[in-house]
Amino acid sequence: MPSPPSPDEFLTVLEDAYEAAKRIRRTLRMEDDITRGLGLDSLDAMELILVLEHTYGASLIDAPAIADVETVGDLYELLVLLTGR
């Protein structure tokens, strides 16, 4: 299993996925609210999660804690937890 990313690496991967989904480049911060702050609909959010799953080998979709994720930082913490570090 790959090791978890650094916060900077995670943000870069997420920014790339955001750009692919929304067709606009945006600098993301850990405190950004995923739905309200980033303007993601459910399909956009799913696309970002799938990119993270593919990149880091973690099953975020199946994690019960995914329902509690509100911010980019929450998503990062869950990814770190699931990658076992």
Side-chain angles (χ1 to χ4, degrees), residues 13-40:
V13 169
L14 204 58
E15 287 168 355
D16 291 346
Y18 181 89
E19 182 177 15
K22 299 300 278 182
R23 308 295 184 251
I24 188 168
R25 188 73 181 177
R26 177 175 175 168
T27 300
L28 301 179
R29 299 169 302 155
M30 290 293 190
E31 59 271 11
D32 286 336
D33 184 285
I34 290 177
T35 53
R36 290 181 299 260
L38 300 182
L40 299 175

Side-chain angles (χ1 to χ4, degrees), residues 39-85:
L40 299 175
D41 62 25
S42 59
L43 291 176
D44 294 334
M46 180 66 72
E47 188 174 334
L48 267 61
I49 289 169
L50 291 174
V51 166
L52 292 173
E53 286 189 343
H54 177 74
T55 303
Y56 299 110
S59 184
L60 294 164
I61 296 295
D62 295 332
I66 194 73
D68 299 325
V69 169
E70 294 180 4
T71 67
V72 171
D74 293 341
L75 187 57
Y76 175 73
E77 290 175 13
L78 179 59
L79 180 64
V80 170
L81 179 70
L82 292 176
T83 54
R85 307 290 186 265

